[in-house]
Amino acid sequence: MSFQDKTLTCKDCGQEFIWTAGEQEFYASRGLQNAPTRCPADRAARRAQGGGRGGGGGGGYGGGGGGGGYGGGAREMFTATCSNCGKEARVPFQPRGDKPVYCSDCFEQRRPSQSRSRY
């Protein structure tokens, strides 16, 4: 598939910007189907403010926002007691009490071995 530079208009500032063929190829390689609606400067400003999407996914309990880290700001952490060892656990979600919560050490031990080595 061949890509060509496209001129788009930013929905925040109204300025035109070029969505390059290389950027389009990058988007396509990641399975992204929609063109950006903000210019690069407004996208960077929005990321810096922590706007847009929620927290990243797949970072584990102690990872601090892996898998993209959309939002960027400090993440609210909650204290719970580890269901395995009884130590204090700091987790990025409000424990509800209906599921076990693990400290980062116990969580790592319980993860499937294949997801421990990412590279």
Side-chain angles (χ1 to χ4, degrees):
M1 182 184 295
S2 66
F3 298 98
Q4 295 181 350
D5 290 359
K6 293 183 181 179
T7 302
L8 304 174
T9 303
C10 178
K11 77 176 194 177
D12 285 351
C13 68
Q15 296 292 317
E16 289 186 342
F17 65 97
I18 303 295
W19 189 29
T20 67
E23 291 171 325
Q24 292 173 50
E25 188 173 352
F26 175 81
Y27 272 54
S29 73
R30 299 297 187 273
L32 302 172
Q33 298 175 349
N34 298 324
T37 57
R38 292 180 178 87
C39 66
D42 284 339
R43 277 186 274 164
R46 190 166 170 88
R47 267 194 305 272
Q49 290 175 348
R53 302 179 185 173
Y61 288 161
Y70 299 105
R75 189 176 233 190
E76 184 177 3
M77 299 295 280
F78 298 90
T79 303
T81 301
C82 177
S83 298
N84 189 46
C85 70
K87 291 192 306 187
E88 180 180 288
R90 306 261 305 143
V91 294
F93 58 89
Q94 177 73 55
R96 297 185 314 222
D98 62 338
K99 294 184 179 179
V101 175
Y102 301 104
C103 66
S104 55
D105 291 336
C106 292
F107 179 74
E108 281 298 319
Q109 291 172 2
R110 297 182 65 84
R111 289 175 82 181
S113 60
Q114 66 193 30
S115 64
R116 284 188 201 153
S117 62
R118 292 186 144 164
Y119 305 103

